[in-house]
Amino acid sequence: YCQHANVLDTEHLFELLKNNAPADDAALPKTGVPIEWERRLSSIFIRSDDYGTRSSTVLLVDHDKHVTWEERTFNPQAEQESVQHFEFDIKSS
C-alpha cells in the first residue's frame, strides 16, 4: 500500500505473495501428511523441487473500473521466469 498516493503498490503485493516463512508448528493442521510437508505447505510461497508455487497473480480494480492484472511465473528454484501484464477498463453497459 502506498500511503501517499492512496493506491496499492503491485511490487509490495508480490513481495507478500513471495513470503516463504512457515507457520509455527502449533498452528499447523493435522491432515495426515508428515510434519515436514505440513511445514513446507504452510507458507504463502511454497518452494520445493517437486512441488511448489509456480505462479503468483495480482489483480487490481480501481474506482474508475480500470483493471491491472499481472502474473509472474517461477521455476522450481523460485526464480522468476516470466511476467504477463495487462491493463484495461471495464465498460458499463
Side-chain angles (χ1 to χ4, degrees):
Y1 181 74
C2 178
Q3 294 176 350
H4 298 97
N6 199 25
V7 295
L8 291 171
D9 176 28
T10 303
E11 286 305 316
H12 180 70
L13 294 172
F14 276 111
E15 278 182 40
L16 292 172
L17 291 173
K18 197 123 189 228
N19 182 346
N20 63 357
D24 293 331
D25 283 358
L28 296 176
K30 294 180 179 25
T31 63
V33 300
I35 188 71
E36 297 80 20
W37 269 99
E38 292 292 5
R39 288 181 186 127
R40 185 180 300 170
L41 299 175
S42 69
S43 64
I44 294 170
F45 191 93
I46 301 168
R47 184 174 177 180
S48 172
D49 288 338
D50 53 350
Y51 181 85
T53 302
R54 297 298 181 255
S55 67
S56 295
T57 305
V58 169
L59 176 68
L60 303 174
V61 181
D62 68 16
H63 293 289
D64 297 322
K65 299 182 183 177
H66 182 78
V67 178
T68 302
W69 181 92
E70 187 168 318
E71 183 173 80
R72 299 178 182 183
T73 59
F74 306 93
N75 64 20
Q77 292 74 41
E79 299 164 332
Q80 184 176 305
E81 290 193 325
S82 67
V83 175
Q84 293 206 35
H85 181 96
F86 300 98
E87 292 191 40
F88 55 91
D89 295 314
I90 300 172
K91 294 183 180 184
S92 299
S93 55

